[in-house]
């Protein structure tokens, strides 16, 4: 019996030895195969594609909290990379609600500090 489900985040190696990270799109319990949508790999051409991998070559990645701004920003980047507009909108709404919750906390800004998640600097 396979330990993975659709949408689980995994990492592992392909039959060609490529390191991959991604999420499971489909599973074949009888043959213990999964199709993984690759979001990161040491083989650039594999990113954005699906690969079939034996389940024993994968391990599940830990779940990240959706209460952490950095985690949500990373997922927003992933939603953009995969052209998933619905997911992007859900994550943007979640990030917005977290920012509204945090508005009561005083924030200090130093000139030249980072102003966005892409690391762009403010020019004043």
């Amino acid at each position: 019996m396979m330990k993975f489900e659709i949408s689980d985040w995994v990492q592992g190696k392909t039959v060609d030895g490529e390191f991959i990270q991604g999420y499971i799109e489909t599973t074949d319990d009888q043959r213990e195969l999964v199709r993984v949508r690759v979001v990161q790999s040491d083989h650039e051409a594999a990113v954005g594609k699906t690969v079939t991998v034996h389940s024993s070559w994968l391990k599940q990645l830990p779940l990240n909290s959706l209460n952490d701004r950095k985690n949500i920003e990373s997922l927003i980047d992933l939603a953009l990379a995969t052209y998933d507009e619905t997911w992007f909108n859900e994550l943007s709404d979640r990030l917005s609600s977290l920012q509204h919750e945090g508005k009561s906390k005083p924030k200090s800004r130093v000139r030249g500090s980072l102003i966005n998640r892409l690391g762009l600097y403010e020019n004043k």
Side-chain angles (χ1 to χ4, degrees), residues 3-5 7-12 19-24 36-37 39-40 58-65 75 78:
K3 59 186 174 185
F4 300 113
E5 295 182 18
S7 80
D8 284 351
W9 285 90
V10 294
Q11 72 178 17
F19 175 76
I20 59 167
Q21 285 186 337
Y23 57 91
I24 295 177
V36 177
R37 172 71 63 173
V39 298
Q40 189 173 8
L58 297 172
K59 75 174 188 176
Q60 190 166 1
L61 293 173
L63 296 176
N64 290 325
S65 170
L75 291 173
L78 183 58

Side-chain angles (χ1 to χ4, degrees), residues 4-65:
F4 300 113
E5 295 182 18
I6 293 173
S7 80
D8 284 351
W9 285 90
V10 294
Q11 72 178 17
K13 288 200 174 197
T14 66
V15 69
D16 297 325
E18 301 164 345
F19 175 76
I20 59 167
Q21 285 186 337
Y23 57 91
I24 295 177
E25 289 191 333
T26 62
T27 62
D28 180 347
D29 292 335
Q30 289 179 332
R31 297 188 320 191
E32 295 189 2
L33 297 174
V34 296
R35 287 186 55 87
V36 177
R37 172 71 63 173
V38 178
V39 298
Q40 189 173 8
S41 175
D42 58 355
H43 180 71
E44 291 288 324
V47 175
K49 298 186 174 159
T50 57
V51 295
T52 302
V53 181
H54 194 276
S55 64
S56 65
W57 299 347
L58 297 172
K59 75 174 188 176
Q60 190 166 1
L61 293 173
L63 296 176
N64 290 325
S65 170

